[in-house]
Amino acid sequence: MADPWQKAYDFAVEVAREAGEEIRKAGECEMKVQTKSSTVDLVTKTDERVEKIIIRALKGEFGDGAFIGEESVANGQPCVLSDKPTWIIDPVDGTTNFVHGFPFVAVSIAFAVNKELEFGVVYSCLEDKMYKARKGKGAFCNDEPIQVSDVEEIKKSIIISEHGTDRRKEVVTKIFSTMQKILCIPVHGLRGSGTAATNMCLVATGAVEAFFEIGIHCWDIAAGAVIVQEAGGVLMDVDGGPFDLMSRRMVSANNKKIADRIIKEIEAFDVTRDDAPVQKKE
Ligand SMILES: O=P([O-])([O-])O[C@@H]1[C@@H](O)[C@H](O)[C@@H](O)[C@H](O)[C@@H]1O
Ligand SMILES: [Mg+2]
Protein backbone atom coordinates (compact mmCIF):
# COMPACT_ATOMS: atom_id res chain seq x y z
CA MET A 1 0.00 0.00 0.00
CA ALA A 2 1.38 3.47 -0.84
CA ASP A 3 2.78 5.33 2.14
CA PRO A 4 0.41 8.30 2.48
CA TRP A 5 2.46 10.50 4.77
CA GLN A 6 6.12 10.11 3.81
CA LYS A 7 6.02 13.08 1.41
CA ALA A 8 4.34 15.27 4.05
CA TYR A 9 6.92 14.16 6.65
CA ASP A 10 9.88 14.94 4.41
CA PHE A 11 8.36 18.29 3.46
CA ALA A 12 7.72 19.18 7.12
CA VAL A 13 11.43 18.61 7.85
CA GLU A 14 12.40 21.06 5.10
CA VAL A 15 9.82 23.63 6.24
CA ALA A 16 11.11 23.38 9.83
CA ARG A 17 14.68 23.91 8.62
CA GLU A 18 13.67 27.01 6.60
CA ALA A 19 11.69 28.34 9.58
CA GLY A 20 14.75 27.86 11.77
CA GLU A 21 16.82 29.87 9.31
CA GLU A 22 14.25 32.69 9.52
CA ILE A 23 14.52 32.64 13.32
CA ARG A 24 18.31 32.77 13.22
CA LYS A 25 18.18 35.69 10.75
CA ALA A 26 15.55 37.64 12.74
CA GLY A 27 17.14 40.95 13.61
CA GLU A 28 16.64 43.40 16.45
CA CYS A 29 13.69 44.92 14.55
CA GLU A 30 11.69 41.76 15.16
CA MET A 31 12.57 41.60 18.81
CA LYS A 32 9.69 43.96 19.64
CA VAL A 33 8.18 41.99 22.48
CA GLN A 34 4.44 41.80 23.15
CA THR A 35 2.65 39.74 25.79
CA LYS A 36 -0.28 37.28 25.71
CA SER A 37 -1.77 35.48 28.72
CA SER A 38 0.47 37.27 31.22
CA THR A 39 3.29 39.82 31.36
CA VAL A 40 5.80 36.98 31.05
CA ASP A 41 4.04 35.09 28.21
CA LEU A 42 5.98 36.69 25.38
CA VAL A 43 5.39 36.86 21.62
CA THR A 44 7.37 38.63 18.90
CA LYS A 45 6.84 39.53 15.25
CA THR A 46 9.12 36.59 14.46
CA ASP A 47 6.70 34.11 16.10
CA GLU A 48 3.84 35.46 13.97
CA ARG A 49 5.82 35.81 10.74
CA VAL A 50 7.41 32.36 10.98
CA GLU A 51 4.04 30.72 11.68
CA LYS A 52 2.61 32.37 8.54
CA ILE A 53 5.61 31.12 6.50
CA ILE A 54 5.11 27.57 7.79
CA ILE A 55 1.34 27.51 7.19
CA ARG A 56 1.70 29.09 3.71
CA ALA A 57 4.29 26.46 2.74
CA LEU A 58 2.19 23.54 4.04
CA LYS A 59 -1.02 24.85 2.42
CA GLY A 60 0.84 25.39 -0.85
CA GLU A 61 2.10 21.82 -0.87
CA PHE A 62 -0.86 20.00 0.65
CA GLY A 63 -3.84 22.31 0.24
CA ASP A 64 -6.55 20.86 2.43
CA GLY A 65 -6.09 19.96 6.06
CA ALA A 66 -6.60 21.85 9.28
CA PHE A 67 -4.10 23.92 11.22
CA ILE A 68 -3.59 24.51 14.94
CA GLY A 69 -0.88 27.16 15.29
CA GLU A 70 0.14 28.83 18.52
CA GLU A 71 -0.11 32.37 17.19
CA SER A 72 -3.21 31.71 15.04
CA VAL A 73 -4.99 30.45 18.17
CA ALA A 74 -3.71 33.48 20.11
CA ASN A 75 -5.35 35.61 17.40
CA GLY A 76 -8.71 33.86 17.70
CA GLN A 77 -8.51 30.76 15.50
CA PRO A 78 -10.20 27.68 17.04
CA CYS A 79 -8.07 25.07 18.81
CA VAL A 80 -10.04 21.90 18.13
CA LEU A 81 -8.44 18.62 17.03
CA SER A 82 -10.87 16.93 14.61
CA ASP A 83 -10.48 13.71 12.59
CA LYS A 84 -9.26 15.82 9.64
CA PRO A 85 -5.54 15.72 8.77
CA THR A 86 -4.25 18.46 11.09
CA TRP A 87 -0.93 20.30 11.35
CA ILE A 88 -0.06 21.32 14.94
CA ILE A 89 2.54 24.09 14.91
CA ASP A 90 4.67 26.03 17.36
CA PRO A 91 6.75 28.35 15.21
CA VAL A 92 9.04 29.50 18.00
CA ASP A 93 9.04 27.24 21.03
CA GLY A 94 11.12 29.03 23.65
CA THR A 95 10.09 32.55 22.76
CA THR A 96 11.45 33.93 26.03
CA ASN A 97 14.79 32.26 25.26
CA PHE A 98 14.69 33.78 21.76
CA VAL A 99 14.11 37.29 23.19
CA HIS A 100 16.96 36.87 25.68
CA GLY A 101 19.39 35.06 23.40
CA PHE A 102 19.29 31.94 25.59
CA PRO A 103 20.40 29.24 23.13
CA PHE A 104 17.40 26.89 23.04
CA VAL A 105 14.73 27.79 20.47
CA ALA A 106 12.80 25.17 18.49
CA VAL A 107 10.38 24.97 15.57
CA SER A 108 7.81 22.27 16.32
CA ILE A 109 5.60 20.78 13.57
CA ALA A 110 3.34 17.74 14.17
CA PHE A 111 0.77 16.05 11.95
CA ALA A 112 -2.31 14.14 13.18
CA VAL A 113 -5.04 12.18 11.36
CA ASN A 114 -8.18 10.91 13.10
CA LYS A 115 -6.75 12.51 16.25
CA GLU A 116 -3.71 10.16 16.04
CA LEU A 117 -0.27 11.75 15.82
CA GLU A 118 1.40 10.45 12.63
CA PHE A 119 4.72 12.30 12.81
CA GLY A 120 6.60 15.05 14.59
CA VAL A 121 9.51 17.33 13.69
CA VAL A 122 11.40 19.51 16.19
CA TYR A 123 14.19 21.70 14.84
CA SER A 124 16.39 23.13 17.60
CA CYS A 125 17.57 25.90 15.32
CA LEU A 126 20.32 27.48 17.42
CA GLU A 127 21.91 24.06 17.95
CA ASP A 128 21.14 22.96 14.36
CA LYS A 129 19.62 19.72 15.65
CA MET A 130 16.80 18.23 13.54
CA TYR A 131 14.75 15.78 15.61
CA LYS A 132 12.08 13.78 13.82
CA ALA A 133 9.92 10.67 14.16
CA ARG A 134 7.12 8.89 12.32
CA LYS A 135 4.70 6.55 14.08
CA GLY A 136 6.19 3.06 14.01
CA LYS A 137 9.40 4.10 12.24
CA GLY A 138 11.80 5.25 14.94
CA ALA A 139 13.16 8.59 16.13
CA PHE A 140 16.19 10.47 14.85
CA CYS A 141 18.43 13.47 15.52
CA ASN A 142 20.26 14.72 12.42
CA ASP A 143 19.36 11.37 10.83
CA GLU A 144 21.05 9.35 13.59
CA PRO A 145 18.72 6.99 15.55
CA ILE A 146 17.99 8.13 19.12
CA GLN A 147 16.83 6.15 22.13
CA VAL A 148 15.71 6.98 25.68
CA SER A 149 17.91 6.30 28.73
CA ASP A 150 17.87 2.84 30.34
CA VAL A 151 18.06 4.27 33.88
CA GLU A 152 15.42 2.73 36.21
CA GLU A 153 16.59 4.13 39.54
CA ILE A 154 15.07 7.57 40.23
CA LYS A 155 18.15 8.45 42.34
CA LYS A 156 20.28 8.13 39.20
CA SER A 157 18.07 10.41 37.07
CA ILE A 158 17.97 13.97 35.80
CA ILE A 159 14.45 15.36 35.63
CA ILE A 160 13.26 18.36 33.62
CA SER A 161 10.44 20.58 34.79
CA GLU A 162 9.55 24.13 33.80
CA HIS A 163 7.81 26.85 35.77
CA GLY A 164 5.77 28.13 32.81
CA THR A 165 4.21 31.59 32.62
CA ASP A 166 1.56 31.47 35.33
CA ARG A 167 2.88 33.58 38.21
CA ARG A 168 -0.12 33.29 40.57
CA LYS A 169 1.33 32.64 44.06
CA GLU A 170 -0.74 29.51 44.63
CA VAL A 171 0.47 28.03 41.32
CA VAL A 172 4.14 28.94 41.79
CA THR A 173 4.00 27.46 45.31
CA LYS A 174 2.77 24.12 43.91
CA ILE A 175 5.36 24.15 41.13
CA PHE A 176 8.27 24.74 43.48
CA SER A 177 6.94 22.38 46.14
CA THR A 178 6.85 19.65 43.46
CA MET A 179 10.38 20.51 42.33
CA GLN A 180 11.63 20.47 45.94
CA LYS A 181 10.12 17.03 46.60
CA ILE A 182 11.67 15.61 43.44
CA LEU A 183 15.06 17.21 44.10
CA CYS A 184 15.11 15.76 47.63
CA ILE A 185 14.36 12.18 46.59
CA PRO A 186 17.21 12.84 45.72
CA VAL A 187 17.63 12.85 41.97
CA HIS A 188 20.95 13.70 40.33
CA GLY A 189 19.55 17.02 39.13
CA LEU A 190 16.72 19.19 37.84
CA ARG A 191 17.08 20.94 34.48
CA GLY A 192 14.98 22.88 31.99
CA SER A 193 15.79 24.24 28.51
CA GLY A 194 12.86 26.70 28.45
CA THR A 195 11.20 24.93 25.52
CA ALA A 196 8.94 21.92 25.95
CA ALA A 197 9.73 20.60 22.48
CA THR A 198 13.46 20.58 23.20
CA ASN A 199 12.89 19.10 26.67
CA MET A 200 11.02 16.18 25.09
CA CYS A 201 13.84 15.63 22.62
CA LEU A 202 16.28 15.52 25.55
CA VAL A 203 14.16 12.69 26.99
CA ALA A 204 14.21 10.96 23.59
CA THR A 205 18.02 11.14 23.33
CA GLY A 206 18.52 9.78 26.85
CA ALA A 207 20.10 13.03 28.09
CA VAL A 208 17.47 13.17 30.85
CA GLU A 209 15.03 10.58 32.21
CA ALA A 210 11.80 12.61 32.31
CA PHE A 211 10.16 15.96 31.56
CA PHE A 212 6.80 16.96 32.99
CA GLU A 213 4.84 20.19 32.96
CA ILE A 214 1.38 21.53 33.69
CA GLY A 215 0.49 24.55 31.58
CA ILE A 216 2.04 23.65 28.23
CA HIS A 217 -0.11 23.65 25.07
CA CYS A 218 -0.71 21.02 22.39
CA TRP A 219 1.60 22.85 19.96
CA ASP A 220 4.49 22.73 22.47
CA ILE A 221 4.37 18.93 22.86
CA ALA A 222 2.67 17.30 19.85
CA ALA A 223 5.83 16.73 17.81
CA GLY A 224 7.92 15.86 20.86
CA ALA A 225 5.32 13.26 21.87
CA VAL A 226 5.91 11.25 18.68
CA ILE A 227 9.69 11.61 19.07
CA VAL A 228 9.63 10.37 22.70
CA GLN A 229 7.35 7.43 21.88
CA GLU A 230 9.41 6.37 18.87
CA ALA A 231 12.59 6.62 20.95
CA GLY A 232 11.09 4.04 23.33
CA GLY A 233 9.71 6.41 25.97
CA VAL A 234 6.32 6.73 27.63
CA LEU A 235 3.77 9.55 27.86
CA MET A 236 1.01 9.93 30.43
CA ASP A 237 -1.10 12.44 32.31
CA VAL A 238 0.35 13.92 35.51
CA ASP A 239 -2.09 11.75 37.52
CA GLY A 240 -0.92 8.55 35.81
CA GLY A 241 -3.88 8.47 33.41
CA PRO A 242 -3.54 8.26 29.64
CA PHE A 243 -1.70 11.01 27.75
CA ASP A 244 -4.17 13.66 26.54
CA LEU A 245 -2.70 16.04 23.98
CA MET A 246 -5.22 18.81 24.63
CA SER A 247 -5.18 18.66 28.46
CA ARG A 248 -2.16 21.00 28.94
CA ARG A 249 -0.48 18.55 31.33
CA MET A 250 1.94 15.79 30.57
CA VAL A 251 4.69 13.50 31.83
CA SER A 252 7.20 12.13 29.30
CA ALA A 253 9.76 9.63 30.54
CA ASN A 254 12.21 6.92 29.50
CA ASN A 255 10.11 4.24 31.22
CA LYS A 256 6.98 3.76 33.35
CA LYS A 257 8.96 3.17 36.56
CA ILE A 258 10.51 6.64 36.42
CA ALA A 259 7.21 8.21 35.29
CA ASP A 260 5.24 6.61 38.14
CA ARG A 261 7.82 7.77 40.70
CA ILE A 262 7.70 11.37 39.45
CA ILE A 263 3.88 11.36 39.38
CA LYS A 264 3.84 10.61 43.13
CA GLU A 265 5.41 14.04 43.80
CA ILE A 266 3.44 16.23 41.37
CA GLU A 267 1.08 18.74 43.01
CA ALA A 268 -1.40 19.41 40.20
CA PHE A 269 -3.23 22.69 39.64
CA ASP A 270 -6.13 23.48 37.31
CA VAL A 271 -5.53 24.61 33.73
CA THR A 272 -8.09 25.21 30.97
CA ARG A 273 -7.91 22.59 28.22
CA ASP A 274 -6.67 23.74 24.81
CA ASP A 275 -9.96 22.55 23.26
CA ALA A 276 -12.21 24.08 25.93
CA PRO A 277 -15.17 26.02 24.45
CA VAL A 278 -14.13 29.66 23.97
CA GLN A 279 -15.93 31.90 26.49
CA LYS A 280 -18.17 34.38 24.64
CA LYS A 281 -17.25 37.97 25.48
CA GLU A 282 -20.19 39.73 27.21
O1 LIG B 1 5.51 29.99 24.61
P1 LIG B 1 6.52 29.06 24.01
O2 LIG B 1 7.90 29.57 24.11
O3 LIG B 1 6.12 28.60 22.63
O4 LIG B 1 6.40 27.72 24.91
C1 LIG B 1 7.06 27.56 26.15
C2 LIG B 1 7.01 26.09 26.50
O5 LIG B 1 7.71 25.37 25.52
C3 LIG B 1 7.65 25.84 27.87
O6 LIG B 1 7.57 24.48 28.20
C4 LIG B 1 6.90 26.64 28.92
O7 LIG B 1 7.46 26.41 30.18
C5 LIG B 1 6.97 28.11 28.58
O8 LIG B 1 6.24 28.82 29.54
C6 LIG B 1 6.39 28.41 27.19
O9 LIG B 1 5.02 28.15 27.19
MG1 LIG C 1 5.74 29.26 20.78
Side-chain angles (χ1 to χ4, degrees):
M1 185 179 90
D3 180 343
W5 308 123
Q6 187 62 40
K7 186 164 175 271
Y9 179 51
D10 294 341
F11 189 75
V13 169
E14 287 325 305
V15 170
R17 195 180 300 283
E18 285 159 25
E21 179 57 27
E22 286 297 323
I23 292 168
R24 284 194 296 264
K25 281 188 316 190
E28 285 308 308
C29 64
E30 284 202 327
M31 280 301 183
K32 185 171 172 307
V33 179
Q34 294 168 303
T35 58
K36 294 190 292 190
S37 63
S38 75
T39 57
V40 296
D41 184 7
L42 310 184
V43 60
T44 70
K45 284 277 173 245
T46 304
D47 294 72
E48 293 173 339
R49 186 168 60 83
V50 169
E51 183 166 305
K52 288 193 176 84
I53 290 171
I54 293 170
I55 291 177
R56 193 181 311 124
L58 294 173
K59 275 189 176 161
E61 189 74 14
F62 300 107
D64 60 350
F67 291 85
I68 296 177
E70 177 176 359
E71 308 317 333
S72 307
V73 171
N75 290 312
Q77 289 298 310
C79 183
V80 178
L81 185 58
S82 70
D83 289 342
K84 278 180 75 174
T86 304
W87 296 95
I88 305 167
I89 299 161
D90 187 343
V92 181
D93 190 42
T95 300
T96 302
N97 291 352
F98 171 62
V99 168
H100 287 266
F102 190 76
F104 295 101
V105 179
V107 179
S108 181
I109 300 175
F111 183 68
V113 182
N114 297 325
K115 299 191 182 74
E116 282 285 315
L117 290 166
E118 286 293 334
F119 60 74
V121 176
V122 173
Y123 182 42
S124 179
C125 59
L126 303 186
E127 297 180 283
D128 193 22
K129 287 185 176 178
M130 181 65 75
Y131 298 94
K132 65 183 185 181
R134 268 200 72 182
K135 191 167 70 172
K137 295 180 181 278
F140 303 86
C141 176
N142 292 348
D143 293 323
E144 292 297 321
I146 55 178
Q147 196 168 3
V148 294
S149 151
D150 59 5
V151 168
E152 295 213 338
E153 283 182 70
I154 190 70
K155 292 184 178 180
K156 293 184 177 172
S157 72
I158 291 183
I159 304 299
I160 292 185
S161 177
E162 299 279 352
H163 48 65
T165 51
D166 188 329
R167 294 290 192 273
R168 286 173 298 167
K169 191 169 183 313
E170 64 274 20
V171 168
V172 172
T173 301
K174 288 191 172 198
I175 289 171
F176 280 91
S177 170
T178 298
M179 286 183 179
Q180 182 183 19
K181 290 192 290 182
I182 290 171
L183 196 57
C184 297
I185 289 176
V187 295
H188 277 178
L190 285 181
R191 299 287 187 275
S193 73
T195 127
T198 303
N199 290 335
M200 295 181 88
C201 291
L202 290 168
V203 173
T205 62
V208 302
E209 278 62 47
F211 160 55
F212 70 94
E213 187 169 355
I214 300 174
I216 30 90
H217 292 277
C218 61
W219 45 76
D220 292 315
I221 61 170
V226 188
I227 294 167
V228 166
Q229 280 175 319
E230 288 302 316
V234 297
L235 296 162
M236 52 183 76
D237 193 344
V238 295
D239 61 4
F243 172 63
D244 176 350
L245 179 62
M246 309 304 273
S247 68
R248 297 191 56 207
R249 35 192 257 169
M250 178 275 310
V251 175
S252 54
N254 60 331
N255 57 54
K256 192 172 181 310
K257 190 173 176 187
I258 293 282
D260 287 344
R261 182 63 188 83
I262 293 295
I263 282 164
K264 279 187 187 152
E265 310 299 351
I266 296 176
E267 293 181 38
F269 51 90
D270 290 340
V271 286
T272 306
R273 292 178 60 89
D274 277 325
D275 54 3
V278 177
Q279 299 299 329
K280 289 225 181 320
K281 290 193 174 65
E282 264 99 54

